[in-house]
Amino acid sequence: MIRKREVSVREAVQESLDCVAALDGTLNCFVTLDGERALARADEVQRGIDDGTLGGPLAGVPVAVKDNICTEGLRTTCSSKILYNFVPPYSAEAVCNLNAAGGVIIGKTNMDEFAMGSTTETSAFGVTRNPWDPEHVPGGSSGGSCAAVASCEVPYALGSDTGGSIRQPGSFCGVTGLKPTYGTVSRYGLIAYGSSLDQIGPIAKDISDCAAILEMLASYDKKDSTSVKREAYDFTSALVDDVKGMKIGIPSDYLGDGLDPEVEAAVRKAADVLRQKGAIVEEFQLSLVEYAIPAYYVIASAEASSNLARFDGVKYGYRAPEYEGLHSMYKRSRSEGFGEEVKRRIMLGSFVLSSGYYDAYYLKALRTKALIKQSFDRAFENYDVILGPVAPNTAPRLGESLSDPLKMYLGDIYTISVNLAGLPGVSVPCGTDAKGLPIGVQLIGDCFQEKKIIRAAYAYEQARGSWQGPADLEKRCDRIPEHAASGEAAGPESACVSKEVG
Amino acid sequence: MARQYETVIGLEVHVELATKTKIFCGCSTAFGGAPNTHTCPVCTGMPGSLPVLNKQVVEYAMAVGLATGCQINQYCKFDRKNYFYPDNPQNYQISQLYLPICHDGGIEIETASGRKVIGIHEIHMEEDAGKLIHDEWDDCTLVDYNRSGVPLIEIVSEPDMRSAEEVIAYLDKLRLIVQYLGASDCKLQEGSMRADVNLSVREVGAKEFGTRTEMKNLNSFKAIARAIDGERARQIELLEEGKPVIQETRRWDDNKEYSYPMRSKEDAHDYRYFPDPDLVPVVISDEWLQAVRDRQPELRTEKLARYKKEFDIPEYDAEILTGSKRLADVFEETTALCGKPKKVSNWLMGETLRLLKEEGMEPEELTFAPEHLAKLIELTDAGTINQTVAKEVFEKIFYEDVEPERYVEEHGLKMVSDDGVLRTVVEGVIAANPQSVSDYRGGKEKALGFLVGQTMKQMKGRANPGAVNQLLRELLG
Amino acid sequence: MANRISDETIEYVGILAKLELSEEEREQAKQDIGRMLDYVDKLNELDTSGVEPLSHVFPVHNVFREDVVTNGDDRARMLQNAPKVKDGSWQVPKTVE
Ligand SMILES: [Mg+2]
Ligand SMILES: [Zn+2]
């Protein structure tokens, strides 16, 4: 629309901001909004479009960025009190790519603190609500980004995925979220949770948009040693409505105990759609599925315990007001600055790396990871794409998951192994349950085979027909008074719930 | 009979590499500079920043490994060493534990008790920490990350040393090797070479090692020697009293000549090493290894042999000159310019070493251009200046690196060879000293020396003493 | 719960991780970590002998920078988020006794 000059960039950005103004009091997708800056940037981008220096499908399109991705001059908090005032002196490489393509960032989206969670309830800036039903969680940790796209506050957003954090909230919010192959999008400027697992990826209304956004985000970055130089970045060329002869495997171990029958039915229906279009679909035994979560929690927590050591009250962020001496400052700043879930994982990670436990826990987990990778390698000898559910259930009600962390972790069973093996995966809306909450189907590809899952997703979308977002959104939101969510929703101190930066 | 003890010493030597940039970012490693002016998101531990390895660090580490007879791990990795301290912005140090770049080498040392090989357990690459400055005024600490991320290699010896003398010999040898490779300037005072001493004592003849302590904060060879003697005495005293030695890290206070424990409840010394997920392995191909081997410069032993063959200088001089890379470089460069090794050696062995000693400087701190020394030798040989003036000019070269020809010109130091001028002065001296003249004529040869001295004085040292001598004899007939 | 986390262990982990827990939090942490470890113990069902630990999923290696200075004086920006600054340096409680 912008390219066709039907609307100006400023109009598009203003529309986004208006939508946020109308809905976000309830949904709370944003930690930081910067309308003024976005509008100024809109005019700048408009000039670029007008004089032909900026082209491309994303020039002038408003975008929201998950709050663990550094944006120079724009507060980046990881939804944590410990970074409540952190204004990065530099931008993440993905943000630089986005800026170069003419993207207009309107703000930073809410998330589980440091991306540790599956519900966006562990944020120090209050919970984000699911636009399909504000009494339910949007999923996590990229819950703010997914809810913002689902509610049309923004046409697309950036998220990050360490154990399912793009795909699972994508599924809960009825949007399309793609986690690329590890190394495809630079991690430079992504505030690390589990460095060997983290990947930035696009969240949008459909796979066509995701492919275009990924094309813009992906790059070989010399600043990220784990960045991979890929042969081609033309992901949109895979938007082809043809899956004839494509071999699709459904892990029968993904369909077993614990999977909600409504989710299973929707996923099977999606598989049938692809079969009808000529794909060869069959079930197979992936194996080792139940070992992915324990291996993940050891690896991710270990890395996190080290990655999050830098938040200590010395260089940036929160410093406790009172302390006696250096170590007391460290302990108070960290204990007051981090939330419960983050502390739990830091402690677990410190423990599994500590003297005497490294081999039994950490190396054991890395060996398990090797076996999981091998089982995927075997699967991809037979299949082009693996298809399965994203999560065992649809979005739970607010507050329902936090009481039992272990149960919450189990919700990541279908997404986590993909991160351990570094694979690309996408979540595509494929139906709703009886409560009207969306269900997603997950398509997993072999390393560097994004094009195969994009093609499968595109073919599926063509048959499925256009996906309708939540109806009567404003009315749903109106029922919930602003910031009147469950008791814990408010931030730990006033500084943490303020939305604007100065 | 009193029990006899043996000291068992191993060293961990940290050497700051001579790279232009830090190990994981493009910040300068230049020494000095206002606090935090050589910093970036990477070396200040900003959230989201990532390290990228400086290739030169790997090459220097390999070069040192090869020169110390080490095996090179052709597959090596970086690990994180986790501990909280403000000099370490990430609260972990990127180092190598599981697969260090070099292992199992050794170097030969020579002491009064003979030759001996000191084993090298491993050499690993790591990053340096920032500097903490205590602020008296506010009773707080200020953190400067200019040194944070400067590349280090840590050379870990086997516990093969038995005395301070062996330790110093080992450090000397190691320093020479590293300096010859150009991998570091190894200045102890500036901290570009630092040694931590692991020391235990045991009864002579015992098979097991005693409990060791680690001493830090040693910044001169003298401090190291004192610390070894002090800690040895402390441990023996404990054992004699029947008390155990506690395995701990101690800080040596060179003023009080005593070490103090650095322990606190808050330091668990459990570093939770694990492979750094932000860095990828270093794979060293045979070709790369060979290329580094081929590029190895001439080391001390080879240089010494070559000097003996190539230059007609005393063996003792050759030993001294090659005992410092800088001295050897100055010698060779100057010789290449003037072609007079013997004379160059004399200037270095004589005046240069004298001035260095006087100033308490290391040869590494020599700054004058070899061109200037070569020119000085040329001026002396051509008879443009005499030996006395040459020494005066050399001091100017040593301290200020002046261009000798211009300096001589500007200060009128040229030797007076004009026979007329000299003859006038000599005639004047003869007229003014009748007593000495008659003494000489009376057979007192010494009197001639006095007259030469008087002439030189009037000539302000610029006369050719030979010519003065000859002229006097001629005129006094 | 097979993995019983002692008070000493929680105290020790607190020192390693620089976290200070209230009495209540400490009890909760003991429970949580114990349960997590029980769950992680599931990995022991797997025979991983002879399996190399996999740190990096892709065999990428030798990613280097050339030794060229690319950064200038960026002190002001590095310090802009500092909780406490003095003389162009981060200020912390004194580190020496
Ligand atoms: Mg070290
Ligand atoms: Zn730097």
Side-chain angles (χ1 to χ4, degrees):
Chain A
M1 282 204 303
I2 289 167
R3 253 198 311 176
K4 289 186 199 140
R5 298 185 184 233
E6 286 168 15
V7 293
S8 71
V9 178
R10 180 173 265 271
E11 281 163 350
V13 170
Q14 191 58 59
E15 195 190 312
S16 233
L17 294 172
D18 291 346
C19 188
V20 173
L23 302 178
D24 219 48
T26 300
L27 296 179
N28 194 32
C29 300
F30 284 86
V31 171
T32 304
L33 251 189
D34 197 347
E36 212 169 289
R37 206 167 114 128
L39 288 168
R41 166 80 179 147
D43 294 341
E44 184 189 327
V45 169
Q46 186 70 61
R47 281 192 296 275
I49 293 171
D50 292 346
D51 67 20
T53 50
L54 273 177
L58 297 165
V61 182
V63 53
V65 174
K66 189 177 180 181
D67 212 20
N68 59 350
I69 302 172
C70 285
T71 41
E72 185 177 344
L74 182 58
R75 182 172 74 150
T76 301
T77 70
C78 280
S79 286
S80 179
K81 180 176 171 181
I82 211 155
L83 281 178
Y84 76 102
N85 60 355
F86 178 64
V87 179
Y90 73 104
S91 282
E93 186 68 5
V95 168
C96 293
N97 290 345
L98 194 154
N99 283 332
V104 181
I105 296 170
I106 68 158
K108 306 299 293 289
T109 56
N110 203 12
M111 55 187 277
D112 281 295
E113 186 183 4
F114 281 100
M116 297 178 188
S118 316
T119 63
T120 314
E121 291 171 293
T122 67
S123 166
F125 297 85
V127 301
T128 293
R129 289 164 176 272
N130 192 321
W132 292 77
D133 185 341
E135 297 295 349
H136 286 250
V137 303
S141 64
S142 308
S145 285
C146 289
V149 174
S151 60
C152 295
E153 288 182 346
V154 279
Y156 77 102
L158 303 195
S160 72
D161 191 315
T162 307
S165 283
I166 287 176
R167 291 159 289 156
Q168 185 257 29
S171 166
F172 285 8
C173 291
V175 294
T176 305
L178 193 155
K179 173 215 154 332
T181 305
Y182 186 77
T184 299
V185 178
S186 169
R187 291 188 298 113
Y188 193 82
L190 169 66
I191 301 180
Y193 159 25
S195 315
S196 69
L197 307 162
D198 299 339
Q199 262 297 285
I200 293 173
I203 294 156
K205 69 177 198 310
D206 61 25
I207 193 66
S208 307
D209 284 358
C210 280
I213 300 157
L214 181 60
E215 212 163 275
M216 171 268 285
L217 289 178
S219 62
Y220 173 67
D221 183 10
K222 287 182 170 164
K223 297 187 295 304
D224 174 0
S225 306
T226 61
S227 175
V228 177
K229 207 178 273 170
R230 299 187 51 151
E231 279 162 20
Y233 292 91
D234 58 328
F235 300 107
T236 49
S237 70
L239 295 167
V240 178
D241 184 13
D242 178 11
V243 287
K244 267 190 213 75
M246 181 183 265
K247 288 200 270 179
I248 298 176
I250 305 175
S252 40
D253 24 16
Y254 274 22
L255 302 171
D257 287 347
L259 180 62
D260 182 318
E262 283 186 284
V263 174
E264 177 167 352
V267 168
R268 283 189 184 276
K269 213 175 118 194
D272 285 343
V273 166
L274 288 165
R275 187 181 283 124
Q276 278 155 22
K277 298 193 78 159
I280 303 155
V281 182
E282 59 188 42
E283 285 189 29
F284 75 106
Q285 198 71 28
L286 179 63
S287 83
L288 300 174
V289 172
E290 67 269 40
Y291 301 104
I293 297 176
Y296 170 87
Y297 278 97
V298 171
I299 295 167
S301 301
E303 291 179 3
S305 72
S306 175
N307 285 332
L308 271 59
R310 68 188 62 202
F311 306 106
D312 61 358
V314 173
K315 294 139 297 193
Y316 36 71
Y318 178 77
R319 179 185 287 196
E322 279 171 48
Y323 47 84
E324 290 118 42
L326 179 70
H327 289 283
S328 148
M329 186 205 75
Y330 281 154
K331 284 190 160 185
R332 297 241 172 110
S333 301
R334 288 168 61 80
S335 301
E336 293 165 23
F338 288 133
E340 228 173 279
E341 182 64 26
V342 172
K343 282 191 257 193
R344 180 159 40 226
R345 295 196 199 187
I346 289 176
M347 290 207 288
L348 180 69
S350 302
F351 180 80
V352 297
L353 288 175
S354 70
S355 170
Y357 296 101
Y358 178 77
D359 286 24
Y361 289 115
Y362 189 69
L363 287 187
K364 182 77 184 181
L366 290 186
R367 290 194 169 95
T368 306
K369 178 183 169 186
L371 292 177
I372 288 169
K373 173 107 176 83
Q374 284 168 22
S375 73
F376 274 111
D377 287 346
R378 275 195 303 275
F380 285 114
E381 281 170 18
N382 298 321
Y383 304 106
D384 296 304
V385 168
I386 293 173
L387 181 150
V390 178
N393 302 93
T394 54
R397 296 183 71 83
L398 287 164
E400 215 173 62
S401 309
L402 287 188
S403 53
D404 187 349
L406 213 51
K407 199 176 146 210
M408 183 175 82
Y409 299 165
L410 281 169
D412 297 332
I413 189 155
Y414 309 129
T415 47
I416 267 179
S417 51
V418 171
N419 297 78
L420 289 172
L423 308 172
V426 64
S427 161
V428 180
C430 68
T432 49
D433 68 2
K435 288 175 276 187
L437 292 168
I439 299 168
V441 59
Q442 180 175 211
L443 301 165
I444 303 164
D446 198 0
C447 302
F448 311 114
Q449 298 299 327
E450 276 85 352
K451 283 186 186 175
K452 285 188 181 167
I453 58 174
I454 289 170
R455 188 185 187 115
Y458 185 75
Y460 170 72
E461 276 183 2
Q462 297 307 303
R464 182 202 63 195
S466 78
W467 176 258
Q468 298 300 316
D472 304 325
L473 194 53
E474 298 213 15
K475 229 185 277 169
R476 286 172 201 248
C477 288
D478 282 346
R479 291 210 310 265
I480 313 280
E482 295 201 5
H483 290 300
S486 61
E488 293 105 298
E493 63 168 28
S494 58
C496 283
V497 284
S498 71
K499 272 207 173 165
E500 304 272 349
V501 273
Chain B
M1 202 183 90
R3 281 177 283 185
Q4 294 292 304
Y5 290 95
E6 176 182 55
T7 321
V8 176
I9 307 164
L11 292 188
E12 286 163 25
V13 178
H14 289 87
V15 170
E16 252 176 34
L17 297 177
T19 54
K20 294 180 194 73
T21 61
K22 295 185 179 182
I23 182 167
F24 298 122
C25 63
C27 289
S28 167
T29 54
F31 196 77
N36 294 303
T37 50
H38 301 159
T39 59
C40 73
V42 176
C43 58
T44 57
M46 287 289 155
S49 64
L50 294 171
V52 183
L53 180 59
N54 182 341
K55 188 176 183 184
Q56 186 63 50
V57 173
V58 182
E59 302 225 331
Y60 278 147
M62 270 197 267
V64 175
L66 290 172
T68 52
C70 285
Q71 306 290 309
I72 305 296
N73 260 331
Q74 288 179 261
Y75 181 85
C76 78
K77 285 196 205 180
F78 284 92
D79 304 297
R80 291 187 186 174
K81 179 182 183 179
N82 295 285
Y83 65 96
F84 280 82
Y85 210 59
D87 63 1
N88 177 351
Q90 310 151 116
N91 287 318
Y92 58 80
Q93 180 196 34
I94 304 176
S95 180
Q96 297 190 291
L97 176 75
Y98 297 109
L99 289 168
I101 186 159
C102 315
H103 62 98
D104 293 310
I107 55 176
E108 193 181 65
I109 58 163
E110 198 174 352
T111 61
S113 37
R115 285 170 192 274
K116 176 177 180 180
V117 172
I118 306 299
I120 289 176
H121 180 75
E122 66 169 67
I123 301 176
H124 61 253
M125 303 176 273
E126 61 183 29
E127 53 180 344
D128 205 351
K131 206 164 104 189
L132 299 178
I133 304 128
H134 183 62
D135 183 285
E136 302 281 350
W137 186 260
D138 282 332
D139 198 27
C140 64
T141 295
L142 303 180
V143 187
D144 173 10
Y145 287 131
N146 280 352
R147 306 311 293 162
S148 158
V150 167
L152 299 176
I153 49 172
E154 180 174 335
I155 304 157
V156 182
S157 85
E158 299 291 353
D160 288 345
M161 286 158 277
R162 297 289 176 270
S163 66
E165 192 197 3
E166 287 185 1
V167 168
I168 304 299
Y170 169 79
L171 284 171
D172 248 332
K173 185 79 181 264
L174 199 58
R175 183 160 73 151
L176 263 185
I177 291 171
V178 176
Q179 284 174 344
Y180 264 76
L181 293 169
S184 172
D185 55 15
C186 291
K187 290 180 185 163
L188 269 84
Q189 312 87 327
E190 286 182 14
S192 63
M193 185 183 194
R194 309 189 285 263
D196 298 339
V197 175
N198 288 300
L199 185 149
S200 64
V201 296
R202 64 176 170 187
E203 269 193 76
V204 171
K207 287 213 169 58
E208 302 288 311
F209 289 132
T211 306
R212 66 164 199 271
T213 60
E214 183 181 359
M215 270 183 301
K216 292 188 182 286
N217 196 33
L218 305 165
N219 46 25
S220 74
F221 281 4
K222 281 184 187 131
I224 290 166
R226 278 192 291 267
I228 287 170
D229 292 337
E231 180 61 13
R232 173 189 153 87
R234 190 188 70 86
Q235 289 190 17
I236 290 174
E237 199 177 304
L238 283 173
L239 295 181
E240 290 282 319
E241 291 168 3
K243 291 179 188 161
V245 174
I246 299 161
Q247 183 166 346
E248 62 188 357
T249 304
R250 300 175 69 87
R251 170 184 288 272
W252 176 253
D253 186 329
D254 203 40
N255 295 321
K256 297 183 182 133
E257 298 206 17
Y258 197 78
S259 66
Y260 297 91
M262 286 170 75
R263 233 159 20 110
S264 96
K265 189 168 106 41
E266 293 298 339
D267 303 316
H269 291 297
D270 184 342
Y271 296 123
R272 290 155 287 140
Y273 281 97
F274 74 106
D276 192 325
D278 290 333
L279 289 162
V280 294
V282 176
V283 177
I284 299 164
S285 65
D286 294 342
E287 292 73 36
W288 188 9
L289 190 57
Q290 191 55 45
V292 172
R293 197 174 270 136
D294 291 345
R295 254 181 281 143
Q296 287 288 79
E298 180 188 46
L299 292 178
R300 206 258 180 119
T301 328
E302 298 147 30
K303 197 183 276 287
L304 192 57
R306 181 167 62 85
Y307 277 23
K308 285 177 189 167
K309 223 165 56 193
E310 213 169 284
F311 304 118
D312 178 26
I313 55 171
E315 194 173 327
Y316 176 76
D317 291 13
E319 295 247 5
I320 299 289
L321 291 175
T322 57
S324 147
K325 173 74 166 37
R326 178 87 189 120
L327 216 50
D329 284 347
V330 173
F331 169 73
E332 286 182 46
E333 282 168 43
T334 314
T335 301
L337 289 166
C338 70
K340 290 169 180 148
K342 190 83 207 258
K343 291 204 163 116
V344 177
S345 173
N346 285 343
W347 277 108
L348 294 177
M349 295 295 295
E351 285 304 285
T352 307
L353 290 186
R354 181 180 68 80
L355 290 170
L356 283 174
K357 197 173 170 198
E358 224 171 83
E359 298 298 324
M361 283 161 63
E362 295 287 327
E364 272 54 50
E365 295 168 79
L366 284 179
T367 50
F368 66 79
E371 288 78 10
H372 295 165
L373 176 55
K375 191 80 205 170
L376 184 71
I377 291 169
E378 206 175 278
L379 291 173
T380 319
D381 283 5
T384 315
I385 53 172
N386 65 33
Q387 203 61 30
T388 321
V389 171
K391 281 191 182 173
E392 182 190 328
V393 176
F394 181 76
E395 286 206 17
K396 283 281 167 194
I397 293 174
F398 182 92
Y399 289 112
E400 294 161 40
D401 199 19
V402 298
E403 204 292 300
E405 196 159 30
R406 200 168 56 216
Y407 184 84
V408 164
E409 190 70 48
E410 281 170 5
H411 293 77
L413 298 174
K414 267 191 186 164
M415 200 143 72
V416 178
S417 42
D418 183 332
D419 199 48
V421 175
L422 199 56
R423 187 172 289 266
T424 314
V425 175
V426 169
E427 281 170 354
V429 168
I430 289 173
N433 296 284
Q435 185 59 50
S436 297
V437 169
S438 66
D439 284 352
Y440 174 72
R441 285 193 174 131
K444 283 188 185 164
E445 191 69 16
K446 255 172 101 181
L448 187 71
F450 175 77
L451 293 170
V452 171
Q454 287 301 304
T455 312
M456 290 302 280
K457 197 172 166 187
Q458 291 213 8
M459 293 294 293
K460 297 202 176 76
R462 289 164 301 152
N464 182 337
V468 173
N469 221 298
Q470 208 185 345
L471 202 56
L472 274 167
R473 286 181 197 278
E474 183 197 315
L475 290 173
L476 296 172
Chain C
M1 204 162 67
N3 286 279
R4 297 223 169 269
I5 304 299
S6 65
D7 286 328
E8 291 72 38
T9 303
I10 284 294
E11 170 92 29
Y12 181 70
V13 172
I15 288 173
L16 292 179
K18 296 285 174 234
L19 290 171
E20 190 174 60
L21 302 183
S22 68
E23 198 53 50
E24 202 178 315
E25 283 177 315
R26 189 196 313 257
E27 286 312 308
Q28 188 63 47
K30 278 160 66 179
Q31 285 269 332
D32 290 344
I33 294 179
R35 283 187 62 202
M36 284 299 296
L37 293 176
D38 283 353
Y39 183 46
V40 169
D41 282 344
K42 189 173 174 55
L43 296 179
N44 294 329
E45 296 168 10
L46 276 180
D47 179 12
T48 53
S49 50
V51 180
E52 273 299 302
L54 182 68
S55 312
H56 292 275
V57 275
F58 304 127
V60 176
H61 56 78
N62 291 5
V63 176
F64 298 122
R65 269 178 46 239
E66 292 304 317
D67 187 24
V68 177
V69 177
T70 52
N71 302 336
D73 177 4
D74 211 4
R75 174 165 85 178
R77 270 156 29 98
M78 293 308 111
L79 285 168
Q80 79 189 10
N81 283 286
K84 223 167 179 189
V85 179
K86 189 182 178 187
D87 300 341
S89 301
W90 282 272
Q91 185 180 327
V92 296
K94 69 171 173 174
T95 53
V96 286
E97 269 79 61

